Amino acid sequence: MAAAKGPRGVAPRLLMRLAMNIRRSVLGRTVLLGLGAAAVVAGCHDEGAAPAGEGAALDRAAQALDFAAATPPPVVNVDHADLAAVLDDFTGHPIFGADTPGMIAAVVKGKHIVALGASGYAKLSPLTPMTEDMIFNIGSNTKSMTAVLLAMLIEEHPSLTWQTTLAQALPWASEPGKEYIQPAARRAVTLEQLVAHRSGYVCGYELPGDVKVDTTEFSHPDYGVGDAWKSKTRPQLLREYLRGPAIGVGGTPTGLLADCIDPLGNYGVGDRVYENLNFTIAQAVIDQWSGMPFVEYAKAKLITPYGMGKTFLPSQAFMLAQPGSIDGTAAQKAYWNPYFFNPSHPLLAAGKYAWGHDEQGAVASVNDPDVDPWALAPGAGGFAFGIEDWARYAIAHLRETSPAWRKVHEKPFAEYNFGWSTGPRTTAGGIEYTAMCHTGSISGMQSRICVYPEIDVAYLSFANGGPAASEANHAVVNWMAANALYKRDAGGCKDDPALVRGVQRYWDRDMFGCAGSVPFAERASLCATGYHVCSAQEYVSNNLYGSVNAESPKHHYWTDDQLGYGGTSSGSCWAAPGGSSCGADTPMRVCSPDGTDPEGNHCNWTGCGFGSGSLTNRHFGGCIGDDTAGALCCKN
């Protein structure tokens, strides 16, 4: 390749990011607020070749990590703000009027927890203080994780799409003479409709006077009499749970796939109605096509790659913490005991788990696994985490750009999509964004998460039961979202949705990545009043953790310099004021590792260093023919 023609190459693959420092006052108390980046590996994936120019040969970049350091920036900065005083107003014993025994909450900006707190009690009997390292169940907030996993599954299987029907996705439910999916219209329900609660499955109905009747069958005769179910696997039981016990008179099947319906006829296929069974079915689809139990697939594709494994538990923490054993054979015990009991888990053994409570503060009862195999369908709401690992999941939604994650941010339906309530697009500081929020409830616990990918902010809150746990979570999330330190805004980016498509919050609070697609000459148009386009040196200085890059850019950004280039290809190149010219309108700029960013801006080269001859990746790239980008904006 003739270097004088300008860089043409392929982006490196792997990314990790970073942090910010602020001094502020919360509720009248001076605190230090900071960010540390998540150690989240985005995962290896084929990016495809960058377009060739003028017959130039394509070069494959060396595979390299952004981080050379052994210890990347932490998710929780050591100087994060303490939210305990905010939570104190809601926590305590219900007999004294408290909304909930205890709470944990966090604010995520970019890739960092900038505010964190715990208050009250994790358990009322005995009185156990709630601490920031407690494990808690997120209930139905597991649903969006199931949708992400389904998206990953679809990416892996060309024969699966979001328009695949239930009849096609669950072949065992549509075998000749065994049409378990009833009525017939449900067989055409698509996977996309399934995870938007538009399948027509309704396990219950309402009578006048707000009387709710639940028709869900949690146990089926298929399980067998007594202990017969213990000789079966979880995927086998899930299948039987869905398809029901028998083919009835005239060949009509009975079971949840056929029987779960509103007998008053209020809802049908295509109507939105919240039903846990939809995500139980999605879990069964994942079992079917992955060839793995759902929990193992979740570990392999989501929990481990995104660094969430430190505190992850696939079932209710307080149940797992109970010592004991099921009745049964040695083989049955070997299979089921780890599922029902895990008291040797270090965090459970140390009592680091929250215990759900009812409205009066009584602890949630522990189910007897010999009576009923509880937590059969964790895909609908069974996962447990600590706040840091749950925050890593929120960070993935803020920063991940792979096809599966992009898909679950779409809004094919009004109000609810892919495990999230998604209201109309609105604005915060002029930036249009989608509010992705959800509430989870399980065994006397309530959780709430709100994620805003376009503005790089998320809020998480957990309350362990009590008379008004849900109200407490909503109040805390609303407080965080409205507080001057944490509110939804555009930061240093201009309040103009026609120009700015999104915000990246870097570790330095005075630097923002403003996504857009403007020529170099218009770069300053993306910066808010009081901010200027960062110089290349400012960007490098502000994006270091020790001696290494703190964070990868999510979009392509102009700096304020006429940067030329040197080197031979992606990952073996540099940007410098005195380098070979790319042209007055297309200087080197900061580039995401993806080569093409979400706005369609292109960088021929990526992974370039800064300064003549420096090959240390500082995320510079681009050059001839790459004529649009967003801008990096620094505070004056």
Side-chain angles (χ1 to χ4, degrees):
M1 180 191 76
K5 293 183 179 180
R8 297 284 177 184
V10 174
R13 298 182 179 181
L14 227 25
L15 32 119
M16 294 170 111
R17 293 116 162 158
L18 167 72
M20 158 179 167
N21 281 322
I22 307 175
R23 186 176 181 87
R24 288 285 196 260
S25 173
V26 174
L27 296 183
R29 297 178 304 136
T30 298
V31 296
L32 287 176
L33 172 62
L35 310 197
V40 177
V41 178
C44 291
H45 59 280
D46 291 328
E47 296 159 325
E54 302 176 8
L58 297 177
D59 295 299
R60 286 286 177 185
Q63 302 305 301
L65 291 173
D66 285 346
F67 282 111
T71 304
V75 174
V76 183
N77 187 273
V78 293
D79 294 326
H80 65 275
D82 186 359
L83 295 177
V86 179
L87 305 181
D88 285 346
D89 290 340
F90 302 94
T91 60
H93 203 295
I95 64 173
F96 299 116
D99 292 339
T100 180
M103 296 187 74
I104 304 174
V107 177
V108 175
K109 282 192 172 183
K111 296 196 64 177
H112 322 280
I113 292 178
V114 302
L116 173 66
S119 176
Y121 302 100
K123 310 177 189 72
L124 288 178
S125 180
L127 289 178
T128 303
M130 181 73 82
T131 56
E132 294 170 359
D133 57 355
M134 290 289 175
I135 298 176
F136 50 87
N137 281 84
I138 63 172
S140 289
N141 282 316
T142 302
K143 287 182 170 67
S144 67
M145 298 181 179
T146 302
V148 170
L149 292 167
L150 185 58
M152 293 175 176
L153 184 82
I154 288 172
E155 289 294 316
E156 294 170 352
H157 292 274
S159 56
L160 272 182
T161 74
W162 286 101
Q163 302 311 312
T164 297
T165 65
L166 291 186
Q168 296 166 331
L170 297 175
W172 52 264
S174 300
E175 296 172 355
K178 298 181 181 179
E179 289 80 11
Y180 294 109
I181 303 174
Q182 297 287 343
R186 284 187 179 151
R187 299 171 200 168
V189 168
T190 67
L191 297 181
E192 192 172 64
Q193 290 174 313
L194 185 71
V195 292
H197 290 306
R198 293 178 178 271
S199 66
Y201 287 93
V202 188
C203 285
Y205 54 95
E206 291 187 13
L207 295 173
D210 197 31
V211 177
K212 295 179 175 61
V213 179
D214 187 357
T215 60
T216 306
E217 299 179 53
F218 287 102
S219 295
H220 274 235
D222 293 51
Y223 294 160
V225 178
D227 291 342
W229 63 268
K230 297 177 184 177
S231 296
K232 299 176 182 179
T233 65
R234 281 169 283 177
Q236 286 174 330
L237 288 184
L238 177 60
R239 178 180 296 192
E240 295 177 4
Y241 170 72
L242 290 173
R243 71 185 180 189
I247 299 294
V249 176
T252 302
T254 59
L256 288 178
L257 280 171
D259 295 344
C260 198
I261 189 170
D262 168 17
L264 303 182
N266 294 321
Y267 303 102
V269 172
D271 293 325
R272 188 180 78 86
V273 57
Y274 193 96
E275 175 51 65
N276 285 324
L277 186 64
N278 289 311
F279 283 83
T280 302
I281 296 170
Q283 175 184 329
V285 172
I286 292 170
D287 281 354
Q288 173 78 29
W289 287 81
S290 71
M292 302 168 64
F294 170 76
V295 169
E296 297 306 314
Y297 188 79
K299 289 179 182 177
K301 300 297 181 178
L302 179 65
I303 304 304
T304 300
Y306 288 88
M308 300 160 62
K310 180 180 178 182
T311 61
F312 169 69
L313 291 171
S315 192
Q316 297 182 58
F318 59 88
M319 293 185 177
L320 290 171
Q322 306 307 307
S325 178
I326 67 165
D327 296 330
T329 67
Q332 290 169 341
K333 290 180 179 181
Y335 183 84
W336 287 106
N337 274 344
Y339 182 57
F340 293 121
F341 310 107
N342 194 11
S344 62
H345 185 286
L347 291 171
L348 296 177
K352 296 294 184 180
Y353 59 93
W355 197 317
H357 303 81
D358 66 16
E359 294 185 0
Q360 288 72 44
V363 296
S365 61
V366 178
N367 291 348
D368 183 351
D370 284 305
V371 176
D372 188 29
W374 47 264
L376 184 64
F383 288 175
F385 296 93
I387 193 71
E388 289 187 38
D389 281 351
W390 196 24
R392 287 183 172 93
Y393 176 67
I395 290 166
H397 276 286
L398 298 180
R399 292 303 178 83
E400 179 59 69
T401 59
S402 63
W405 291 88
R406 288 188 182 182
K407 176 62 183 179
V408 298
H409 290 178
E410 293 180 3
K411 293 179 61 179
F413 304 98
E415 299 178 351
Y416 197 99
N417 298 273
F418 304 106
W420 297 95
S421 292
T422 46
R425 285 179 65 82
T426 185
T427 60
I431 300 296
E432 290 189 355
Y433 68 89
T434 299
M436 298 168 50
C437 296
H438 207 272
T439 297
S441 176
I442 189 169
S443 298
M445 297 183 176
Q446 293 275 349
S447 65
R448 183 158 178 80
I449 180 173
C450 285
V451 175
Y452 307 90
E454 291 94 340
I455 52 176
D456 217 12
V457 174
Y459 309 109
L460 301 88
S461 183
F462 164 78
N464 61 334
S470 181
E471 291 84 350
N473 277 328
H474 278 77
V476 168
V477 168
N478 290 341
W479 180 91
M480 294 187 292
N483 183 270
L485 291 177
Y486 319 121
K487 67 181 181 180
R488 303 183 297 269
D489 61 28
C493 303
K494 181 160 285 186
D495 297 345
D496 187 348
L499 287 174
V500 180
R501 315 290 175 79
V503 178
Q504 179 170 355
R505 299 177 184 274
Y506 276 90
W507 70 279
D508 186 310
R509 69 184 175 99
D510 294 336
M511 183 169 74
F512 294 82
C514 304
S517 187
V518 300
F520 179 65
E522 299 177 17
R523 58 197 182 280
S525 67
L526 301 183
C527 296
T529 301
Y531 287 78
H532 63 273
V533 180
C534 308
S535 70
Q537 183 59 61
E538 280 181 299
Y539 163 69
V540 172
S541 299
N542 289 339
N543 192 36
L544 290 178
Y545 184 78
S547 62
V548 298
N549 294 325
E551 183 170 356
S552 298
K554 184 179 178 181
H555 309 267
H556 299 346
Y557 305 118
W558 297 118
T559 65
D560 207 33
D561 309 270
Q562 270 289 347
L563 297 173
Y565 72 93
T568 59
S569 64
S570 290
S572 184
C573 52
W574 61 87
S580 299
S581 175
C582 295
D585 299 327
T586 59
M588 299 285 271
R589 81 296 310 265
V590 172
C591 295
S592 77
D594 299 315
T596 299
D597 72 6
E599 290 68 49
N601 304 308
H602 183 63
C603 283
N604 296 319
W605 279 2
T606 61
C608 300
F610 177 65
S612 181
S614 174
L615 296 181
T616 300
N617 178 18
R618 298 299 185 207
H619 296 303
F620 285 89
C623 207
I624 296 172
D626 302 335
D627 56 3
T628 59
L632 286 163
C633 298
C634 289
K635 194 170 185 179
N636 293 342

